[in-house]
Amino acid sequence: SGIPALLRGSWLYGLATLFFVIYFRIDSVMLAIFRTPSEVGQYGAAYQVVELLLKVPILVSFVTLPIAFQANSPDRMLDAYRGKLRHLAVLGMLCSLGVYALADPILHALVGGRFGPAVAALALLAPAAGVQVVRAAAGAPSVPGGVGAGESGLAAVLDVS
């Protein structure tokens, strides 16, 4: 019992997290191999906006987790999960449109004028940002017992970024 039992029961989550981090960063590593440091920096500046957007579903998932635990039935948990997913899907689409339309002022506000060429990269990443918000929401461990696995599978299919 104690720490060893906790580690035995959670090592798969740790491994999944490791693979997620690799998946999330492999594009920058590959870009660094084939492109100049300046281009990698431009891409990195644009990708910071996408990373910021991905924190929204994680935050919402943590905030709504107590609601899911208060549900007395799997049906109520599933309803809460689907409601959260619908709201985050709309938010993801609105974020994509907003980031696309406002890429220049967003980057100016976050990193200043020295990353001007990153505006084009951010405009290209904007549609993927919305899909990633939905994916992150669907894959976030916000509902206990694996409820919502179908939605997670659908979001994985939608991974076009």
Side-chain angles (χ1 to χ4, degrees), residues 41-55 98-99 102-116 118-119 122:
Q42 300 297 328
Y43 179 80
Y47 206 76
Q48 284 183 355
V49 176
V50 175
E51 287 179 352
L52 183 64
L53 290 176
L54 289 178
K55 295 193 184 342
V99 167
L102 302 170
D104 189 30
I106 288 171
L107 278 174
H108 250 326
L110 292 177
V111 295
R114 63 187 185 278
F115 288 96
V119 171
L122 182 54

Side-chain angles (χ1 to χ4, degrees), residues 28 43 48 62 65:
S28 295
Y43 179 80
Q48 284 183 355
F62 282 129
L65 188 60

Side-chain angles (χ1 to χ4, degrees), residues 6-89:
L6 179 66
L7 292 175
R8 277 193 306 276
S10 63
W11 73 270
L12 279 176
Y13 292 106
L15 187 61
T17 301
L18 175 66
F19 284 125
F20 175 76
V21 169
I22 291 170
Y23 168 78
F24 197 64
R25 297 290 182 190
I26 195 71
D27 55 344
S28 295
V29 173
M30 291 172 51
L31 195 60
I33 293 170
F34 297 110
R35 308 304 293 188
T36 67
S38 175
E39 291 171 312
V40 175
Q42 300 297 328
Y43 179 80
Y47 206 76
Q48 284 183 355
V49 176
V50 175
E51 287 179 352
L52 183 64
L53 290 176
L54 289 178
K55 295 193 184 342
V56 172
I58 294 167
L59 177 64
V60 170
S61 294
F62 282 129
V63 169
T64 58
L65 188 60
I67 296 168
F69 277 115
Q70 290 175 354
N72 294 330
S73 71
D75 289 337
R76 287 186 62 201
M77 283 191 270
L78 186 56
D79 287 344
Y81 180 81
R82 286 182 175 156
K84 177 191 78 165
L85 191 59
R86 272 193 301 273
H87 287 97
L88 285 171

